[in-house]
Amino acid sequence: MNRFGRIAMDLWLKFFIITILLLAADDLCECGQRISEGCLNSSCFTEVTVSEKGLNYARELLVDEALQSLIPLRIPDMKKSVKVPYILDFKAKLYDAAVANISVPSSSVHLGKIGINIIASQVQLNLTMKWRYSYTTGFIPFTVSDKGRAFVQVDGMEVGITLKLDEKNGSLYLITVECGTSLKDITITLDGGASWFYQGFVDAFEGEIRAAVEKAVTSKIKEGILKLDSLLQNLPKEIGIDSTIALNFTVMEAPDVGPKSISIGVEGLFVAMTPPVVRFHQLSDLQSGIACSGPSKMLEISLSEAVFNSAAEVYSNEGLLNWLVDKLPEQSLLNTASWRFIIPKLYKKYPNDEMKLNISVSSPPTITITSDGVEAIVVADMIIDVMDGNDSIPVACISM
C-alpha cells in the first residue's frame, strides 16, 4: 500500500466509529413515534430499549436452558416412622432423590408494573430415588425389611418468576420479587423388592415429595438468578473500542418498565483510554426513546448527539486527527512547480522544491442532529512546508 493509501486508511479508521454512529442517527431521524419518557437523568445520553418481542426471543433461548440447569437437582431425604411400644416399630425412608430429566413445552414473558414476569407452563419432570423400610413387632423375633428404586413423574408443573431490574453503583442488578412452583399431577412407581405390594405405602409420601420438589426447584432457580445478578453487576462499565477510545456504559438510572418495552439509560459517551479522561461538557440531553415505523423491533438504541461529539473530541484531543502528507500517487503535486499558478510567490522563492502538507483538525468536529438529518462541521488547517535542503520551512497555511 502506498503512502497515500496508508493515510486514507488511517483517516478511515479514525472516523469509523463516528461514521457508523452517524448512519445510525440518520436512520433515527426518519423515525418519529415516541415510546417512552426518556432518560430522566441529565447524564444519560444513550437509551437501550428492549421490546416485549425482544424479551420473548431471549426467553426462548434462556428459559429452557435455565430449567435444564436444574439437572442434577438433589431432593432431601424423606423419612416416616410409626412406633407403638412393645407392639410395632416401623421405619421407612426415601433417599438419593434426583431430577433425571426435564422438559418445558411452553413459556412466556410479560412486562408488568413491578417488572418482568416469566412463566413456564406444563413443565414435565422425572425423578429417580431409592426406598427402604424395616419393622419389628412384639410377635416376630426378627426384623423385616425391603428396598428398591422408585420413579416419580411430575406433569403440569408451573414455574412463575417476577424480576425487577434496578441500578446500583452504575450497574444493573436483579431483584427476585416473586418465585414459586406448583405441581399438578404426580405419579410414583416402584421397582424392586415386593414393590407391587408396597405401592400404597410409598404413595403416602406423595405430599412430602410434592413439597420437596417445589421447594428444591424454587431454591435452585433463585440460585440461578443470583448468578445472573452477579454477572450483570460485574459487566465492565467501559468497553474498549481501540487503543485510544472507550465507550462508557455506566447505567445512570433504574430501567423504565413500560407495558410493551423496557428501557435502560446509560451514559453512552466515548472517553479516552489513557488519563486524563476526556469528557465532553457541552452536552444536550437525550429527549426520549424513538421507535421507527413498521414492524416491531426487538432492540432499539436512541443516541444523543453528545455521543458523536464525545468521540470526535477524544480523537481530536489525542492528536489523532492530524496527518502528514509527503507521498501522493501524483508526486508532482508535492512540488512547488505544480503550485506556480496558484501561489506564484511560493514558486518564485522556492522553485522546484519538494513540499509536505501538514493537515490538522484545529478543534473537535461539531456534530448536530435534527429531524432533517445530520450536520458535521470540521475546521482544519493545512500547513504547506517546503523542503529547502534538510530544512522544513512552513510557508503557507490554508484553513478549511
Side-chain angles (χ1 to χ4, degrees):
M1 183 184 294
N2 58 35
R3 177 65 174 169
F4 180 78
R6 288 197 298 272
I7 292 171
M9 179 61 74
D10 187 54
L11 176 64
W12 180 84
L13 288 173
K14 297 296 189 297
F15 279 99
F16 174 76
I17 300 298
I18 302 174
T19 303
I20 294 299
L21 291 174
L22 286 174
L23 289 174
D26 194 44
D27 289 338
L28 287 174
C29 288
E30 298 176 0
C31 310
Q33 181 186 359
R34 303 291 180 179
I35 62 171
S36 72
E37 295 300 323
C39 295
L40 300 177
N41 193 312
S42 61
S43 297
C44 166
F45 302 101
T46 298
E47 186 179 66
V48 179
T49 300
V50 183
S51 67
E52 200 167 51
K53 182 178 178 181
L55 289 173
N56 271 298
Y57 177 76
R59 178 264 309 164
E60 292 175 1
L61 297 176
L62 297 177
V63 169
D64 187 66
E65 183 76 18
L67 288 177
Q68 289 297 334
S69 69
L70 295 176
I71 304 172
L73 174 64
R74 297 293 177 181
I75 307 298
D77 296 346
M78 289 162 273
K79 298 178 181 179
K80 283 183 178 293
S81 63
V82 177
K83 189 172 184 179
V84 179
Y86 307 110
I87 299 178
L88 178 67
D89 187 1
F90 180 88
K91 296 178 182 178
K93 182 179 181 180
L94 294 179
Y95 60 101
D96 288 350
V99 175
N101 57 70
I102 186 170
S103 63
V104 189
S106 175
S107 61
S108 62
V109 59
H110 304 285
L111 294 173
K113 293 182 179 180
I114 298 177
I116 305 170
N117 302 314
I118 303 172
I119 298 175
S121 305
Q122 302 301 315
V123 177
Q124 295 178 334
L125 194 74
N126 291 321
L127 297 93
T128 61
M129 60 181 66
K130 296 177 181 178
W131 60 271
R132 181 176 65 208
Y133 84 91
S134 64
Y135 71 88
T136 58
T137 71
F139 311 104
I140 304 176
F142 55 86
T143 300
V144 179
S145 65
D146 201 355
K147 63 181 179 179
R149 294 177 61 83
F151 303 92
V152 179
Q153 180 175 326
V154 176
D155 294 314
M157 183 172 75
E158 289 201 359
V159 180
I161 310 166
T162 299
L163 301 173
K164 180 182 178 182
L165 275 173
D166 212 335
E167 178 273 333
K168 183 178 182 181
N169 298 325
S171 298
L172 288 175
Y173 73 99
L174 275 174
I175 302 173
T176 304
V177 180
E178 293 180 349
C179 182
T181 305
S182 64
L183 278 63
K184 184 178 180 182
D185 298 319
I186 181 169
T187 304
I188 305 172
T189 304
L190 274 67
D191 182 28
S195 57
W196 59 271
F197 184 77
Y198 303 115
Q199 181 71 49
F201 155 71
V202 177
D203 284 345
F205 279 93
E206 179 179 336
E208 291 186 40
I209 294 174
R210 184 186 296 271
V213 170
E214 290 177 350
K215 183 178 180 181
V217 170
T218 300
S219 177
K220 192 76 171 182
I221 291 174
K222 287 182 177 179
E223 285 181 22
I225 294 172
L226 287 175
K227 291 179 181 178
L228 180 58
D229 174 52
S230 177
L231 177 65
L232 287 174
Q233 292 192 45
N234 286 298
L235 288 175
K237 294 184 176 66
E238 287 190 359
I239 303 172
I241 304 300
D242 56 26
S243 60
T244 301
I245 199 169
L247 179 63
N248 188 322
F249 218 72
T250 302
V251 179
M252 303 307 295
E253 59 188 12
D256 178 29
V257 180
K260 294 294 182 182
S261 63
I262 182 168
S263 298
I264 303 169
V266 300
E267 181 178 296
L269 297 182
F270 288 94
V271 297
M273 291 283 283
T274 55
V277 174
V278 177
R279 295 186 182 276
F280 195 78
H281 296 292
Q282 296 179 351
L283 304 174
S284 57
D285 295 343
L286 179 64
Q287 296 300 318
S288 68
I290 299 176
C292 298
S293 57
S296 174
K297 307 296 188 299
M298 291 187 184
L299 179 69
E300 296 170 354
I301 301 177
S302 303
L303 304 171
S304 164
E305 63 186 36
V307 176
F308 315 122
N309 285 308
S310 65
E313 182 173 7
V314 171
Y315 278 126
S316 177
N317 290 350
E318 290 290 311
L320 296 177
L321 301 184
N322 304 323
W323 300 273
L324 175 64
V325 182
D326 57 2
K327 299 290 184 182
L328 288 176
E330 293 292 333
Q331 190 64 25
S332 61
L333 294 175
L334 292 179
N335 188 288
T336 55
S338 297
W339 295 66
R340 62 183 181 274
F341 299 116
I342 302 173
I343 311 176
K345 289 184 179 181
L346 174 64
Y347 177 70
K348 185 176 180 180
K349 189 171 182 179
Y350 302 100
N352 293 314
D353 280 345
E354 295 298 315
M355 297 166 32
K356 292 182 179 180
L357 305 179
N358 276 306
I359 302 173
S360 61
V361 175
S362 55
S363 61
T366 301
I367 300 165
T368 305
I369 301 174
T370 67
S371 58
D372 297 324
V374 181
E375 295 178 357
I377 300 174
V378 182
V379 179
D381 294 329
M382 183 175 70
I383 299 174
I384 302 173
D385 292 339
V386 172
M387 304 306 295
D388 187 14
N390 293 326
D391 296 328
S392 178
I393 304 171
V395 295
C397 178
I398 301 175
S399 293
M400 299 179 291

